[in-house]
Amino acid sequence: RRYYTLLKLSFDTTNIYKIYETPVSQVYRFVIPQVPTPIPQQAIQKAELDFPCPTCQRKYRLQVNFVKDVPLEPGNILFPEDNTFICPSCNTRNDLTPIRIQVESQLKKKII
């Protein structure tokens, strides 16, 4: 019973998922968590977002700038300062505030 309890504790409290045991040795298999590589914050000057209009389903590419005087890429539309995107095709007003909040929280930079 003691051996079972020790094994259960090993599996429950560590990242060990498999144990091989022989009379003279033990081999442990660990789960190694995948850690995403951080993006250097100084290198980010702009981001491009694909935005489909909910009304007419036309797709637009919005450019989000994090520093001043970044040139607008051909075919992109600048992210609106008031967070309201007016679709050029159907003139629908779209509130982009949730997208602004998500981008700023993920990249930890303010949109200019």
Side-chain angles (χ1 to χ4, degrees), residues 22-89:
T22 66
V24 292
S25 67
Q26 290 181 339
V27 177
Y28 301 101
R29 298 283 183 183
F30 293 92
V31 174
I32 299 173
Q34 297 293 327
V35 179
T37 56
I39 300 170
Q41 295 298 319
Q42 298 84 340
I44 301 174
Q45 293 184 355
K46 67 177 180 176
E48 294 179 354
L49 308 170
D50 290 326
F51 178 74
C53 177
T55 306
C56 67
Q57 301 302 318
R58 185 159 177 195
K59 295 183 182 180
Y60 297 98
R61 193 160 196 77
L62 302 177
Q63 181 170 319
V64 179
N65 294 335
F66 299 106
V67 295
K68 290 184 179 184
D69 301 327
V70 176
L72 191 63
E73 294 291 325
N76 287 356
I77 299 173
L78 190 61
F79 194 90
E81 291 182 20
D82 61 352
N83 298 332
T84 304
F85 175 71
I86 300 172
C87 179
S89 295

